[in-house]
Amino acid sequence: MEEEKVIIVENLHKSFGEKKVLKGLSLEVFRGETVVIIGRSGCGKSVFLKLIIGLLTPDSGKITILGKDTSSLNEREWEELRKKFGIVFQSSALLNSLTVAENVALPLVENTTLSKEEIQNRVREKLHLVGLKEVEDLYPEDLSGGMKKRVGIARALIMEPEIILYDEPTTGLDPITASAINRLIMDLKEKVKTTSIVVTHDMKSAFLVGDRIGLLYDGRIVEIDKVEKIRKTSNPLVKQFIEGSHKGPIPVEEGV
Amino acid sequence: MNRFLVLLTRAGEMLIFLFHTFYWMKNAFKMRKETFNQIYRMGIGSLPVVSLMAIFSGMVLALQAGHELLKFQATQALGAIVAASLTRELGPVLTGLIVAGRVGASMTAELGTMKVSEEIDALKAMAINPIRFLVVPRMISSLLIMPILTVYTNVTGIMGGFLIGRVQLNVRFYPYLEGIAKFVTLKDIGNGLVKALVFGLIIGLVSCFEGFHTEGGARGVGEATTRAVVISFLLILMADYVVTHLLY
Ligand SMILES: Nc1ncnc2c1ncn2[C@@H]1O[C@H](COP(=O)(O)OP(=O)(O)OP(=O)(O)O)[C@@H](O)[C@H]1O
Ligand SMILES: [Mg+2]
């Protein structure tokens, strides 16, 4: 039996003014797998995630999610589709006017008819998963960057989505918390078969959580393969990236 | 020509934004808590400035009119002049300008900050319509606050006018009120409130729209806020002319 493709991206192009960010990106994500996307700062990883959930619209190319061509969706259909997604923003993007508990609860409060107690329990459970407790009544401004990130992850998990997009989930976290977040991403895959795309610079995390790793370079996925194969790759671009070397085909300086 | 097209597109976008806002007002009841919150913040917070503005406007009107009226021995008309100027024109316009500068600017700055810190994106990603969630409560409170504050401005201004009349022109309270009752009609009051409502719509729309279309960090927020205030001012003055033309 062929594996179900949850996300299919074909020949995606996106520019901002003169600046071409994505130049023909293609990618397929299968049900239950975790694809890690690595790439230089500013190469368009966050833009790619925003295109997938429709916060940005592609200039050309096709994105198919759960069998639906997203270019033909109206606003209501998009909303239905987005309920199946969780996204962890690079900047956390918590609502500053709400407490931690209200932030995490927001999707449940707005999109379900669960009771107050039920919501409260779920919020506590998700905060526990990301290693936070007794922060419910604090406001985002009272939290450290790493704590905000974890609240952002808890919020992404609250609807128990089929698909989760993580934009640098472990950046800015101490190694112990980072390891716990890696564990969490792996657990979600194993226990509830969540499909995930993880964008990261953290190579340790990439090798740990990924089933496949893809390198985004010059607006395209130039190489994507199983973790073991990527480790032994002969592609000089990928090699330079995972070794973290300033010498190689990728120049350190990059014009904008 | 190019600039004109940009302006036209912007106006079109604003109109669409307005339609979406009206559409989502069907869910207004769900947003009642946030709406009350906004009304409280906007309304109560504006009272000190509006009070000062209103008292002094009334006093200036009385002062200006008083000199002329003394010449013609017609100081009994003072109340009518002050009240008519306020209810028809100055009450809604001055209140509108103050609310645009105070409440509108803070709405734009708040929503603009949410836009550049990706909070609005986050709402969309959670399948929460940001217009319903953020704009509807602000629009409703802007629509409610403006007529209420305008009535308050009118009353306070009339008191301010009386203060000057009493001290400088020896006008008594009862004749002052009688002058108002004889001259100011219900239509004047109603028309003034229609203006207030229109200005409330302008402030809510322009402030939220500019906030939602903020680009690029703290500087962008500053620029959007300035733009929202300037556009609100101009639209209020222009709408004042149009509404006056249509109503009288
Ligand atoms: N809304 C936008 N308007 C204009 N340019 C944008 C916008 N969003 C992103 N860009 C540009 O697109 C490019 C890619 O940005 P993106 O945020 O996707 O990078 P990234 O790969 O996520 O980098 P990082 O690893 O630093 O987060 C950048 O050059 C950025 O300036
Ligand atoms: Mg990024």
Side-chain angles (χ1 to χ4, degrees), chain B residues 151-169:
Chain B
V151 170
Y152 177 78
T153 299
N154 293 344
V155 172
T156 314
I158 287 169
M159 292 305 158
F162 175 69
L163 212 67
I164 294 296
R166 181 70 233 171
V167 173
Q168 297 210 342
L169 308 169

Side-chain angles (χ1 to χ4, degrees), chain A residues 14-17 19-22 38-50 56 90 167-168 199-201 216 255-256, chain B residues 115 118 121 215-216:
Chain A
K14 179 70 185 174
S15 306
F16 293 102
K19 189 182 165 65
K20 292 189 176 121
V21 179
L22 299 183
I38 56 177
R40 294 284 300 271
S41 205
C43 73
K45 303 183 297 293
S46 300
V47 167
F48 175 51
L49 294 186
K50 284 183 190 168
L56 294 170
Q90 188 170 5
D167 200 345
E168 309 202 5
V199 160
T200 189
H201 293 298
L216 176 56
V256 177
Chain B
K115 170 81 193 313
E118 297 186 311
D121 274 350
E215 299 280 349

Side-chain angles (χ1 to χ4, degrees), chain A residues 27-28 35 212-215 221-226 230:
Chain A
L27 177 72
E28 290 178 342
V35 171
R212 290 190 297 152
I213 298 181
L215 175 66
I221 300 283
V222 290
E223 173 100 27
I224 180 159
D225 216 331
K226 293 246 155 62
I230 285 285

Side-chain angles (χ1 to χ4, degrees), chain B residues 207-225:
Chain B
S207 311
C208 293
F209 179 84
E210 290 298 334
F212 266 52
H213 290 80
T214 303
E215 299 280 349
R219 197 163 119 207
V221 175
E223 283 166 4
T225 307

Side-chain angles (χ1 to χ4, degrees), chain A residues 7-9 12 51-52 58 61-65 68-71:
Chain A
I7 300 173
I8 306 169
V9 179
L12 195 64
L51 284 162
I52 292 180
K62 191 172 162 193
I63 302 175
T64 313
I65 297 169
K68 291 200 184 73
D69 178 354
T70 58
S71 65

